Amino acid sequence: MRNNPRIGWLLLSPTLLILLVFGFVPFLYVLFVGFNEWNIFAAEEGLRFSGLDNYRRLVFDEDFTTSVQLTLKFATFAILSELILGFLLAQMLTRKFPGKWFFRIIHTFPLMVAPIAVGAIWRLLVIPGFGPVPFFLDRWFDIKYQIGSYPDQALWTSVIMDVWHWTPFVTLTMLAGLSSIPREPVEQAKVDGANRLQVFWYVTLPFLRPVLLTTVFIRIMDAIRTVDEVWMLAGGGPGTRFTGIYIWRVVFPRTDYGYGSSISLITLYLTIVLCWLLFIAISGRRKGEVE
Amino acid sequence: MQEQKTNKDKKEFDGFLPFYTNAFDRVFISVVILIGIHLLWLRFMEPALPIEAATVISLVIAYYVVRRG
């Protein structure tokens, strides 16, 4: 029974059916709409085939290219910070220290908060004239902090907010990865005279590779499609006009469904290419590398 | 002694690409290149040459990647 492929396919079929109906069919629909002009407020109702016009418009759209640049900047800084912090926290949690159980509980709290609530909390923290962050920055360091006026401040606040929200997730995955590393190779390396950095680079990191890859993938996909918390924080103001927010603006207030679909597809394309390049770089599939 | 498994043991194709690939990888890479070339063509080359030229170039590259990649 175990080797019967029919039973395997039968057991897989509900999942495949759900994926087909809720994943693949909407993708094909968006692909179709992307080749059409469709604006419910246009003089001509319904879809009108326009070929590559939406994509022609997209490659010259400076708002879109700016949003992609901002999103990549946001994703790079947020994910790198989360990985470093998450790894350090996971290392800390593998050791014994007083109050470890308490820290372990509270450090996962941000994960339980819905993104829209995270945005609301941070909005209350940074709102000028009310939030404590602008007040103390002004009082102690004489820094004018207004995310609505300074795009850089809005971007960095978004990065810090994302780090606050998602570092616990990275910590948990890293902790799982670190716990699964066998002790023998680490001890062998130490006996052979490897220092801490060498143990990390040649033993810990290769063992963590699958966990690292999965975590980076999940975080990249999440970071690229970030909308709700950043929207709540800065209302899509300068510095936070990420791709997700740009798509929302095109599709909902402007009701330009055809163009919105084409932007969504190109964003998906960029996400897939980015993840694939990282997969090749991290997974050890390059020639001459041992997996 | 634990057996060390290399990528070559998986009998994946060893073509001109800098990593071992299977058929799906090569088709995927071809589609990625096809879309990339078309977008770049729309942005930089279309006033000089029509988009069909990009399609022809992409298909030639796709064929080469699928067969020799």
Side-chain angles (χ1 to χ4, degrees):
Chain A
M1 189 175 154
R2 271 189 180 178
N3 293 328
N4 190 346
R6 276 188 188 175
I7 292 178
W9 281 111
L10 193 73
L11 293 170
L12 271 177
S13 56
T15 311
L16 290 176
L17 190 72
I18 289 169
L19 275 176
L20 188 78
V21 174
F22 294 106
F24 194 61
V25 172
F27 167 75
L28 289 180
Y29 183 65
V30 172
L31 188 69
F32 167 71
V33 174
F35 289 105
N36 288 275
E37 282 293 323
W38 188 17
N39 192 329
I40 53 166
F41 295 119
E44 204 175 319
E45 275 187 23
L47 283 97
R48 190 169 51 83
F49 183 71
S50 61
L52 290 170
D53 282 357
N54 284 328
Y55 296 93
R56 204 165 275 125
R57 187 177 152 195
L58 182 145
V59 292
F60 289 99
D61 186 349
E62 281 187 16
D63 286 343
F64 173 69
T65 44
T66 310
S67 76
V68 170
Q69 284 169 11
L70 268 177
T71 310
L72 291 178
K73 203 172 169 182
F74 164 77
T76 308
F77 285 110
I79 294 167
L80 278 178
S81 314
E82 284 159 20
L83 284 176
I84 294 168
L85 272 173
F87 179 77
L88 292 175
L89 284 170
Q91 280 280 14
M92 198 179 87
L93 285 170
T94 55
R95 289 154 200 211
K96 287 179 182 169
F97 60 90
K100 182 181 166 182
W101 65 272
F102 181 69
F103 178 75
R104 206 167 172 165
I105 292 167
I106 60 157
H107 109 285
T108 49
F109 274 2
L111 267 186
M112 299 175 203
V113 186
I116 198 87
V118 171
I121 293 165
W122 279 79
R123 177 81 185 148
L124 289 173
L125 282 172
V126 302
I127 197 164
F130 180 75
V133 176
F135 176 77
F136 287 114
L137 281 177
D138 187 29
R139 194 166 189 180
W140 292 343
F141 305 105
D142 202 24
I143 295 171
K144 297 287 168 221
Y145 183 83
Q146 283 185 326
I147 58 166
S149 307
Y150 303 105
D152 280 350
Q153 287 182 357
L155 176 69
W156 293 116
T157 310
S158 307
V159 170
I160 294 167
M161 180 180 66
D162 197 78
V163 170
W164 179 83
H165 193 191
W166 291 110
T167 301
F169 167 75
V170 180
T171 309
L172 290 179
T173 53
M174 290 283 183
L175 193 61
L178 284 173
S179 311
S180 66
I181 295 176
R183 293 185 67 165
E184 291 82 9
V186 179
E187 281 164 9
Q188 274 176 355
K190 281 179 184 168
V191 169
D192 288 344
N195 59 31
R196 276 186 172 189
L197 195 67
Q198 286 169 325
V199 170
F200 167 74
W201 192 255
Y202 294 109
V203 183
T204 312
L205 208 56
F207 274 110
L208 274 182
R209 202 184 257 176
V211 173
L212 198 66
L213 197 67
T214 315
T215 312
V216 170
F217 273 16
I218 294 172
R219 287 305 306 128
I220 284 180
M221 287 184 268
D222 273 348
I224 289 177
R225 67 181 183 196
T226 298
V227 176
D228 32 14
E229 53 193 26
V230 176
W231 177 264
M232 199 67 195
L233 176 79
T240 58
R241 283 180 189 150
F242 301 142
T243 317
I245 289 175
Y246 186 59
I247 293 170
W248 183 85
R249 276 176 191 272
V250 170
V251 172
F252 291 100
R254 292 190 210 160
T255 63
D256 198 346
Y257 303 134
Y259 188 48
S261 300
S262 63
I263 300 174
S264 305
L265 285 171
I266 295 305
T267 308
L268 175 70
Y269 171 77
L270 292 175
T271 311
I272 291 172
V273 170
L274 201 63
C275 287
W276 175 70
L277 289 175
L278 273 169
F279 175 70
I280 296 297
I282 303 177
S283 69
R285 290 185 71 194
R286 283 174 295 172
K287 285 173 186 171
E289 276 193 19
V290 177
E291 203 172 314
Chain B
M1 191 183 155
Q2 200 179 359
E3 194 182 326
Q4 209 174 35
K5 194 180 175 185
T6 63
N7 285 310
K8 270 215 151 183
D9 296 334
K10 289 181 174 176
K11 290 178 185 170
E12 287 185 320
F13 191 76
D14 184 6
F16 69 86
L17 290 167
F19 42 88
Y20 299 102
T21 57
N22 57 33
F24 177 82
D25 290 331
R26 293 194 296 279
V27 172
F28 172 76
I29 293 163
S30 305
V31 173
V32 166
I33 292 172
L34 188 136
I35 297 170
I37 287 176
H38 277 81
L39 287 175
L40 289 171
W41 200 277
L42 286 173
R43 178 73 178 82
F44 299 108
M45 297 293 290
E46 213 184 11
L49 281 165
I51 192 73
E52 286 77 11
T55 309
V56 173
I57 292 170
S58 309
L59 289 176
V60 170
I61 293 173
Y63 176 79
Y64 190 64
V65 168
V66 170
R67 294 301 299 264
R68 303 273 174 86

